[in-house]
Every structure is written in structure tokens, then in C-alpha cells.
């Protein structure tokens, strides 16, 4: 099966996501997503990206963009990029 790829850069605009060590999740998600988008294009894989700039996207709009990319089909793979700020140790201390 020839897959089509939809890349979603998590968060964006008014929604920064996680942050730590001077890194804001929405920015890193966008860098990773733009890199993936460029690489898939270079490789000749059909690919679309949900956002390529720092814009606010509502959950409904995000889903609509995913569905508009290549439709809702078994040959569509959606990659949603997110980066967490905390590790297991943080969660452990938080719970205790
Ligand atoms: Zn996230």
C-alpha cells in the first residue's frame, strides 16, 4: 500500500504546550514537523502538514485539516508531534 502522510505539529500560537530549559514545545514540534515534511517530500512520499507557522488551531480545526489533507482512509498515516517536559521521576514525585 502506498501511504500518504499527514504531519501535525502539536500546539501553536496561543497554545505553547509544555516548556522547560528554555524550550517551548510548540516551537520544537514545528521544527521537527517542518523537517519531516521536507524529508518526506524529498523522498517522494505524498505528505501534507497541518501547520507550518506558529498559529493557533482549535481542536476542531485541527481535525478538519487532518481530514481535508487526504480524506479519511486506511492509507493515510497521521503523525502528531509532541514533546513532553517531565520524565518518570517528575511524575513519581508529583504523585507522592
Ligand atoms: Zn504536546
Amino acid at each position: 500500500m502506498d501511504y500518504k502522510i499527514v504531519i501535525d505539529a502539536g500546539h501553536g500560537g496561543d497554545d505553547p504546550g509544555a516548556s522547560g530549559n528554555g524550550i517551548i514545545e510548540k516551537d520544537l514540534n514545528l521544527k521537527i514537523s517542518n523537517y519531516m515534511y521536507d524529508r518526506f517530500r524529498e523522498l517522494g512520499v505524498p505528505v501534507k502538514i497541518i501547520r507550518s507557522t506558529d498559529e493557533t488551531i482549535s481542536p476542531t480545526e485541527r481535525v478538519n485539516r487532518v481530514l481535508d489533507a487526504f480524506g479519511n482512509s486506511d492509507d493515510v498515516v497521521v503523525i502528531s508531534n509532541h514533546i513532553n517536559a517531565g520524565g518518570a521521576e517528575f511524575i513519581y514525585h508529583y504523585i507522592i
Side-chain angles (χ1 to χ4, degrees):
M1 188 181 289
D2 288 331
Y3 289 103
K4 298 159 189 152
I5 310 288
V6 182
I7 299 171
D8 171 35
H11 308 283
D14 294 338
D15 172 17
S19 62
N21 299 316
I23 296 168
I24 301 171
E25 186 191 350
K26 65 174 184 176
D27 296 334
L28 191 52
N29 290 342
L30 185 57
K31 276 187 183 176
I32 292 165
S33 298
N34 280 331
Y35 175 82
M36 293 173 80
Y37 178 74
D38 289 342
R39 280 299 288 145
F40 279 121
R41 281 181 61 98
E42 286 171 10
L43 294 168
V45 177
V47 60
K48 292 190 178 168
I49 192 164
I50 296 307
R51 69 174 177 97
S52 56
T53 60
D54 182 28
E55 64 171 315
T56 304
I57 306 174
S58 73
T60 301
E61 173 65 16
R62 198 175 293 270
V63 170
N64 286 339
R65 290 187 188 190
V66 168
L67 293 173
D68 287 347
F70 294 110
N72 186 3
S73 172
D74 288 346
D75 62 356
V76 178
V77 177
V78 180
I79 301 171
S80 186
N81 287 310
H82 285 264
I83 305 291
N84 290 334
E89 193 177 335
F90 172 78
I91 292 168
Y92 172 77
H93 288 297
Y94 188 76
I95 292 168
I96 296 299

